[in-house]
Amino acid sequence: MACSCSPLFFVFLRKNLLYLRCNYVPLFFICMGFVGVLTAYLHWSTKPVQFQMEEFEAKNEMVLKESYFPGSEVDYIYYAPSSQNVEDIVELLRVDLLIISERFRAYNNSIQMQLDMEQECRANCFAINFNHVPDRGSGGKFSYSLSSNQMRISPRKRYVNDEEINHQKDDDDYIRAGFLTLQHVLDKQYMKYQELVENYEVLVSSVPNLEVISMDSHRLTYFGTLCSILFKVVLLSTFVVPFVEEKQNGLKEFLNLVTPMSFLNGLTFFLIRFVCYTVLIIIVLVVAYLYKALGVIYFFYVAVLFLLYILSTMSYAYLISVCFHSVFYAKIGGLALLIIPYVFSFVRSWATSLAFVFFSTNTFLEGLDIFQTFCNKHREFGAGELFREIKYESSKMFLVYVLLVFQTFFYALLYNYLGCVFPGPGGLKRPIFFFLDLRFHKKINVGCFAILLTFLVKCPKPMRNDNAMNIRQHLAAHKPS
């Protein structure tokens, strides 16, 4: 069978190359428009590096206590467990913060303390869980934990928010909510409780950052998203429309009737365009690299992401072509089906997780976000980073690669199944569960031998070599009665 596929493969390959040759002018302008728009965007988005530093006013202990600690009578401080050592430290804490004793509430266990704070407190409250308080003068380890009903920052999340413009950052919630003030005063009073020398001074200030505009912190994401959108337009005009046109003209069903190797037409159609799209994407990525839009990410890893994306998106284009039997409707409906996945990028729900698995566009955008996060943190992306979660609730880059490969085969299988069940006008419709029928797997199409014999008779003399003789022998040995 491998020998019989080879001649037809080159026949279909030449046929699809002739199509490109006959339509090279519009295809050339489409490709040049794709590269030109992306190059213009990269040139426009390039900004000179600004080294302007933002100055922050340092805040001493008095400022922290007076301006950054809740002072209302309903701002309670819960603590547990109640013991003599704990009570002595809490009293020192109360005197230092100038808080009335009614604002303190003692508990025997931390569970009840946390429950009451969550249910009863309607202001800014804190809870102190004393894990271990050494006796006075023992010098043991002092261990405690703080919580607040106002701060909802998970310790698993990165504290720096890459989506926020650096030079607009002010003092963070850790300072504003009074959390740092309570922590500092509690540590200081424990040192006083243990009669340690207080020969230190604390000055708190936000960490200064280089001034970075929003465009810089999202440049790779914006470039990749724009490239994805423009590629969908290219895909529609050079892939979906020509493929549906063959179906509209009846060529697809004609090939299904005359040869069981008609899939070679779609295969060569796919391979030729994949090579063209690959060259196009590599050119665009080289331009992006020269404009430093890839940041600190190695070119290879970005190229792999883009190539896997165009591979899976081409497979998705095959799938959506099943829905159309007219070029007119393919242009309108095809564009809609290609754009729909972007909606899930703006709507955060359970559907977003499903879209990440089943839509190549959402998987690609997640990969761009991972790369952008590495760029914003000025961390190089190497092989070891493929399995690293750079931020909370983020995917691994290796998973993104695997999903794009999975989607390629998933779309291809689904296309072949739906193409048999819903072949369109003039096609041979098969039952929904045709693949479970043993006769389907044993069926031999006589047209295979007829088309190959015709090809061998009409082929030029140079092709009549040993391979052609082997094909004839193969056909003679397997010719049906």
Side-chain angles (χ1 to χ4, degrees), residues 73-211:
E73 294 183 358
V74 294
D75 296 329
Y76 299 112
I77 298 179
Y78 302 78
Y79 64 94
S82 180
S83 66
Q84 186 59 47
N85 291 341
V86 169
E87 294 293 341
D88 292 342
I89 294 179
V90 169
E91 178 61 21
L92 293 174
L93 177 68
R94 184 191 68 79
V95 173
D96 195 348
L97 292 175
L98 303 176
I99 299 176
I100 59 177
S101 58
E102 286 76 8
R103 288 181 58 185
F104 285 86
R105 297 191 175 185
Y107 289 84
N108 292 325
N109 62 83
S110 59
I111 298 177
Q112 186 62 39
M113 174 187 65
Q114 291 285 353
L115 184 62
D116 285 357
M117 183 181 69
E118 294 290 340
Q119 293 180 350
E120 298 177 1
C121 183
R122 296 295 180 267
N124 298 325
C125 299
F126 293 93
I128 310 174
N129 182 27
F130 292 94
N131 301 317
H132 180 67
V133 181
D135 294 333
R136 190 188 299 269
S138 62
K141 182 180 179 180
F142 180 46
S143 175
Y144 66 92
S145 60
L146 298 178
S147 59
S148 171
N149 67 329
Q150 296 297 321
M151 290 184 63
R152 301 298 181 184
I153 300 177
S154 171
R156 293 176 293 179
K157 293 184 179 181
R158 300 276 176 174
Y159 192 73
V160 176
N161 183 5
D162 294 321
E163 297 179 357
E164 189 174 0
I165 301 174
N166 286 338
H167 75 277
Q168 291 182 355
K169 292 180 181 177
D170 196 359
D171 298 326
D172 50 44
D173 289 342
Y174 183 62
I175 299 176
R176 275 197 303 268
F179 201 93
L180 176 62
T181 305
L182 181 60
Q183 181 183 3
H184 166 64
V185 174
L186 188 57
D187 290 342
K188 188 184 72 170
Q189 294 306 319
Y190 173 74
M191 296 179 66
K192 184 177 181 180
Y193 171 76
Q194 293 289 357
E195 299 179 352
L196 300 176
V197 179
E198 301 180 20
N199 57 349
Y200 67 91
E201 181 182 7
V202 177
L203 294 176
V204 181
S205 177
S206 298
V207 178
N209 294 277
L210 288 175
E211 184 176 0

Side-chain angles (χ1 to χ4, degrees), residues 12 29 36 43 97 172 178 186 214 243 251 312 398 412 429-430:
F12 288 122
F29 281 106
H43 181 76
L97 292 175
D172 50 44
L186 188 57
S214 179
F243 195 73
L251 179 61
S312 59
F398 180 77
K429 185 176 181 180
R430 290 174 177 164

Side-chain angles (χ1 to χ4, degrees), residues 2-16:
C3 295
S4 61
C5 289
S6 179
L8 278 181
F9 176 83
F10 290 106
V11 170
F12 288 122
L13 183 65
R14 186 171 184 271
K15 170 253 179 187
N16 286 298

